[in-house]
């Protein structure tokens, strides 16, 4: 804005027409002239000022004041158009930033929720792992008990078989002794 004001002041000082300058010291512009004024020019210019070619010794023609006003109006309109475009762009960027900020807050919340969920699931997995290890330990103990019981049963089966064999032998001995006692009793 300051550069534009400096350019406008420079143009005013070149043409010596301070009354056509509508820029005030605060940097804002006075209202633009009505567009109908520029649609059909009433005068024909006999020469074109060379103010934009860098020649500072050129004096404006008699109609130079109107030309200067037209140039200033055009410059003002262009500058204001650019300001409007920039303001709209800035507003659009602000809206995008606000939207992105809201999206970022939402995503941050979702990431935090996912992190808590992951931590809870990891805790549950760790608990299940501990439970599984306990069950494996219990299963190993039970398998050990079953192996011990099978060994005891096998030992008992062999002892029972030995006792049964001993009983058979004793039955045979008892049977022989009864026969011998009966044979002696019949002889006596």
């Amino acid at each position: 804005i300051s550069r534009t004001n400096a350019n406008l002041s420079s143009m005013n000082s070149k043409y010596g027409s301070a009354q056509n300058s509508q820029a005030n010291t605060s940097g804002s512009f006075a209202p633009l002239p009505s567009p109908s004024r520029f649609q059909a020019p009433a005068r024909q210019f006999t020469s074109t000022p060379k103010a934009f070619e860098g020649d500072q010794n050129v004096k404006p023609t008699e109609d130079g004041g109107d030309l200067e006003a037209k140039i200033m109006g055009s410059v003002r309109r262009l500058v204001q158009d650019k300001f409007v475009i920039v303001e709209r762009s800035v507003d659009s960027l602000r809206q995008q930033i606000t939207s992105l900020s809201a999206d970022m807050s939402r995503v941050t919340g979702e990431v935090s929720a996912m992190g808590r969920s992951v931590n809870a699931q990891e805790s549950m997995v760790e608990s299940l792992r501990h439970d599984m290890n306990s069950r494996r330990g219990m299963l190993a103990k039970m398998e050990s008990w079953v192996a011990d019981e099978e060994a005891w049963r096998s030992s008992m089966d062999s002892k029972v078989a030995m006792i049964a064999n001993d009983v058979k032998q004793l039955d045979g001995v008892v049977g022989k002794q009864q026969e011998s006692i009966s044979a002696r009793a019949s002889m006596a």
Side-chain angles (χ1 to χ4, degrees):
I1 293 175
S2 61
R3 197 168 108 197
T4 304
N5 286 336
N7 288 341
L8 290 174
S9 296
S10 170
M11 287 178 65
N12 282 332
S13 66
K14 283 183 186 177
Y15 292 108
S17 172
Q19 77 246 14
N20 288 332
S21 174
Q22 294 185 6
N24 62 22
T25 57
S26 68
S28 62
F29 292 100
L32 293 174
S34 71
S36 61
R37 176 178 167 197
F38 299 110
Q39 289 179 354
R43 300 180 191 157
Q44 282 291 352
F45 297 103
T46 56
S47 66
T48 303
K50 297 182 180 180
F52 293 105
E53 295 176 8
D55 187 0
Q56 297 185 7
N57 295 328
V58 174
K59 299 282 181 184
T61 61
E62 182 178 300
D63 294 333
D66 286 339
L67 179 61
E68 182 180 342
K70 288 179 183 180
I71 291 171
M72 293 298 288
S74 295
V75 168
R76 246 183 243 105
R77 269 188 315 241
L78 289 173
V79 169
Q80 284 185 345
D81 288 347
K82 293 294 181 182
F83 282 144
V84 168
I85 290 169
V86 168
E87 285 176 351
R88 287 180 184 163
S89 297
V90 167
D91 288 342
S92 174
L93 288 174
R94 278 190 188 130
Q95 289 173 353
Q96 288 177 356
I97 289 171
T98 302
S99 174
L100 289 174
S101 175
D103 287 346
M104 190 65 172
S105 296
R106 181 183 52 80
V107 167
T108 301
E110 289 175 0
V111 166
S112 296
M114 283 183 178
R116 288 188 299 271
S117 175
V118 165
N119 287 339
Q121 289 176 358
E122 285 177 350
S123 174
M124 183 181 286
V125 165
E126 190 59 37
S127 174
L128 289 172
R129 184 178 295 135
H130 182 321
D131 187 41
M132 184 180 68
N133 288 337
S134 294
R135 288 182 183 198
R136 280 184 182 164
M138 182 58 84
L139 184 61
K141 283 182 184 178
M142 291 175 82
E143 287 175 350
S144 164
W145 293 341
V146 166
D148 288 347
E149 185 179 320
E150 286 179 5
W152 177 80
R153 188 177 296 146
S154 177
S155 169
M156 286 293 148
D157 285 344
S158 67
K159 286 181 182 178
V160 167
M162 285 172 53
I163 291 173
N165 194 15
D166 287 345
V167 167
K168 270 186 180 180
Q169 287 177 358
L170 289 175
D171 277 344
V173 171
V174 169
K176 285 183 186 180
Q177 284 181 355
Q178 280 181 352
E179 281 178 18
S180 87
I181 291 178
S182 319
R184 277 192 214 172
S186 47
M187 283 202 237

